[in-house]
Amino acid sequence: MRANGLKTKETAQQRLGHHVFSVVIGKRLVLVELVLSNRVGKSDQDIDDGSFVILKEIQCIDEVMTMVWLNDSIIVSTVNGYSLFSCVTGQSGVIFSLPDVCSLPRLKLLCKEWNVLLLVDNVGIIANAHGQPVGGSLVFHSDLDSIGEISSYVVIARYGKLELYHKKTGRCIQMITFGGEGVGGPCIVADEEDGSGKLVVVATPTKVVCYRKIPSEEQIKDLLRKKNFKEAISLVEDLECEGELSKDMLSFVHAQVGFLLLFDLHFEEAVNHFLQSETMQPSEVFPFIMRDPNRWSLLVPRNRYWGLHPPPAPLEDVVDDGLMAIQRAIFLRRAGVETVVDDTFLLNPPSRDNLLESAIKSITRYLEVSCEKGLTPSVKEGVDTLLMYLYRALNNVYDMEKLASSTNSCVVEELETLLDDSGHLRTLAFLYASKGISSKALAIWHILARNYSSGLWKDPMLESGSQDGGTGIISGKETAAAEASKLLEESSDPALVLQHLGWVADINQVFAVQVLTSEKRTNQLSPDEVIAAIDPKKVEIFQRYLQWLIEDQEYSDSQFHTLYALSLAKSAIEAFQAEIASQNPDPRRIQETNISGNRISLIFQSPVRERLQIFLESSDLYDPEEVLDLIEGSELWSEKAILYKKLGQEALVLQILALKLENSEAAEKYCAEIGRPDVYMQLLDMYLDPQDGKEPMFKAAVRLLHNHGESLDPLQVLERLSPDMPLQLASETILRMLRARLHHHRQGRIVHNLSRALDTDASLAILEEKSRHVLINDESLCDSCHARLGTKLFAMYPDDTIVCYKCFRRQGESTSVTGRNFKQDVLVKPGWLVTR
């Protein structure tokens, strides 16, 4: 129908009778129709005659060099630029102008997408029928002689070279040399012009060459054999964008490229491609780490891809084979033979150690990323176990311990001999712990702690972090004890806990306390077994454990309370003696005392005597007599006072507080707790007659009289006052006491008379309430049932509501119709208050 193949031919009639094309003559653009006809009885192919019909003339521009008719638009080019004409309306517009110096303009109709390619020098711009750019630009490597189209590609020819560019991405996919040396003159490219052709033809001055599009896989294989890995990946990505290849094929090619790069000793780049493959399984790299057969041999898929690389082998073999290939290539290069080995390796051959280290690090990175994927349990076991192999090969202690101490799927049987032989005992201990094999883990920590002390074993982590040997030993022992205590805190096995408690306590008593008082274990340890197992020399651990039983676990067994009190009392006596001994200038004793004090302060925040006094005051379940027997000959008078108080020995308590401790405030407070006046008098007697040759404590006696004189009988006080007591001390106090007593008596009389007045007023108010008159007539209603009262019996509440007797019995005498309860909400009227 249209000469440029713009529309599908509909019928044979139209195919013969209607062919429209455009012609530019001078400044006129003419649309011409060629009408063909044949004689009756002849076939459609036998054309007899035809005629031209001019359909439309459009005003055009001078010097048109090329032209394309696309739908309802005609795009023309001149030396000045590209313009667009509408064959429907005849209107025109400039698409863009060309620079002053450039090559001749050129147009190419792209039939597959129904677009047009506009060329400016070596740049091609794809535009639609409206002259608008579609996608990006194509930048060719050089000027071109001719241009064609095949499938999704643009083909250009120039001086014996054919280049293939993808339309959407603009990448140069392929470059072919077809003319050989000595080829001169322009080349012409022709395509099948229907957008779906499979052939492209190139004409040179001496020959015509036909090219066809081969299957995608064959082209990819050819690029891979030539080590053109980037071009192969680009081709696959383009085909995947076009929908010609699946996404799985892209992943497949990434994996194939990765294996090829791996055997070419480019390990980092190989892993980069492995990670871009979504279909590659982590088990495919297992044979590079561990020789077959092994536990995971059956998990390795047996797909050899396209057979472009050797079968998997351990990394040591891959490196050795690669180095041999490099040596052969160097020899061949000297002989003038080209090879496919990387020039970088030929110019600077790498060492075996560096290559092996790079290979291990790269495979390690791949397995680390694979851990984050959803793997089957068996594959996860292989990944974690082989990761440990690789970490050990790199001597990466940090990552080894990090993996072993985290939730992992490592197979212990595959690793315990390896780690034991290589001396990575910490990693093995962490691995045992993560698998719940606490007994073996604790045994290793015990060995490490013992070897730290003897210098038989050094931690590489500590060696790299500190140069101080003594500090490293202490830190190493502390670390071993800390890790062991973490396991013991969660263990409910009493035998295991008590077996390792001793050496942990020797290193750090705080860790031992955390083990015994842990809330993490499901079943708590037997207190009797723990108490029996604690070293008697570890007094602080013993006391802290008993404190935890009593205060946190709320044990009410008097045996534990008594044991705790006795232990505290014994420690208090020793602390008191140490305090006295600290005044001794012997340096060794002072040092021992300081060490003991530091140890206690790590576990307890308060002094031992303070803890003893608090416990003796708060607990009622210990045996005070047994504790008294222990401290009887000591100077712990405050503790004795508490114990005598528990036994009810008031006189002894007052003697200790008033005479031994001379704590008048505490003595008076104890008298107030008892609450009897005779106790104050007893305390006054002690102040005035201390016995044992002590002078009377007149100031304390005056303080007592001043604070509690109103509780004492003045006559008894006067009888007990000593003639030796200075008058100026006693007179003022006694006078104040007498005045206070008189004031207290007068206050009592005032309160008595006020109470009588209130009682009288209340009686009067009741009488007034009962004497009130209420006027009831025939119209009066019950405030509850609203029945007429008439001559019925009724009742009136204090809030002046009136109800019939029947409602009164139902409501009760304390709650009125308004809902007010007079027992809870008392009603007070102004006339009832005392105003006189």
Side-chain angles (χ1 to χ4, degrees), residues 230-273:
K230 293 183 179 180
E231 289 82 355
I233 294 297
S234 299
L235 176 61
V236 177
E237 289 176 349
D238 295 337
L239 293 173
E240 194 262 338
C241 292
E242 294 295 326
E244 296 184 21
L245 291 181
S246 63
K247 195 172 183 180
D248 289 344
M249 176 56 71
L250 177 60
S251 297
F252 175 86
V253 174
H254 270 298
Q256 176 70 85
V257 171
F259 283 113
L260 290 171
L261 287 169
L262 189 143
F263 282 99
D264 286 346
L265 306 184
H266 296 284
F267 302 108
E268 185 175 356
E269 297 178 31
V271 169
N272 291 338
H273 284 282

Side-chain angles (χ1 to χ4, degrees), residues 76 105 117 314 318 391 433 471 474 489 534 577 662 741 775:
V76 300
L117 182 66
V318 172
Y391 289 149
T471 304
I474 296 173
E489 287 176 21
I534 295 177
Q577 294 173 351
E662 296 184 358
R741 194 167 185 86
L775 179 62

Side-chain angles (χ1 to χ4, degrees), residues 605-622:
Q605 300 296 325
S606 56
V608 63
R609 289 197 65 182
E610 181 181 342
R611 287 184 278 116
L612 174 60
Q613 293 172 13
I614 293 174
F615 179 72
L616 294 179
E617 286 278 7
S618 60
S619 176
D620 296 323
L621 299 177
Y622 62 89

Side-chain angles (χ1 to χ4, degrees), residues 34 40 86 172 178 294 343 408 440 457 507 516 530 568 575 599 611 642 644 670 783 803:
L34 174 61
V40 180
S86 173
C172 180
F178 57 84
N294 57 62
D343 290 339
N408 61 78
K440 290 188 176 182
W457 192 86
I507 296 174
L516 295 178
V530 174
L568 287 175
R599 284 181 178 174
R611 287 184 278 116
I642 298 172
Y644 282 129
Y670 180 60
D783 290 335
V803 295

Side-chain angles (χ1 to χ4, degrees), residues 410-427:
C410 293
V411 180
V412 178
E413 295 80 2
E414 295 282 341
L415 295 173
E416 51 187 349
T417 303
L418 175 76
L419 297 176
D420 194 5
D421 294 343
S422 62
H424 294 94
L425 297 182
R426 281 171 52 96
T427 302

Side-chain angles (χ1 to χ4, degrees), residues 227-335:
K227 307 295 184 181
N228 296 326
F229 301 131
K230 293 183 179 180
E231 289 82 355
I233 294 297
S234 299
L235 176 61
V236 177
E237 289 176 349
D238 295 337
L239 293 173
E240 194 262 338
C241 292
E242 294 295 326
E244 296 184 21
L245 291 181
S246 63
K247 195 172 183 180
D248 289 344
M249 176 56 71
L250 177 60
S251 297
F252 175 86
V253 174
H254 270 298
Q256 176 70 85
V257 171
F259 283 113
L260 290 171
L261 287 169
L262 189 143
F263 282 99
D264 286 346
L265 306 184
H266 296 284
F267 302 108
E268 185 175 356
E269 297 178 31
V271 169
N272 291 338
H273 284 282
F274 287 160
L275 295 176
Q276 294 182 68
S277 174
E278 298 180 2
T279 58
M280 180 176 172
Q281 298 298 318
S283 57
E284 295 184 46
V285 302
F286 289 178
F288 293 97
I289 306 171
M290 182 177 288
R291 293 184 184 275
D292 288 332
N294 57 62
R295 182 189 292 263
W296 301 282
S297 296
L298 297 178
L299 298 179
V300 181
R302 298 304 175 186
N303 50 340
R304 288 289 309 283
Y305 296 91
W306 284 327
L308 302 178
H309 63 270
L315 290 175
E316 295 87 346
D317 296 348
V318 172
V319 171
D320 292 339
D321 294 342
L323 289 175
M324 291 179 61
I326 293 174
Q327 294 299 325
R328 286 195 303 269
I330 294 175
F331 177 77
L332 293 174
R333 179 67 64 88
R334 290 173 181 172

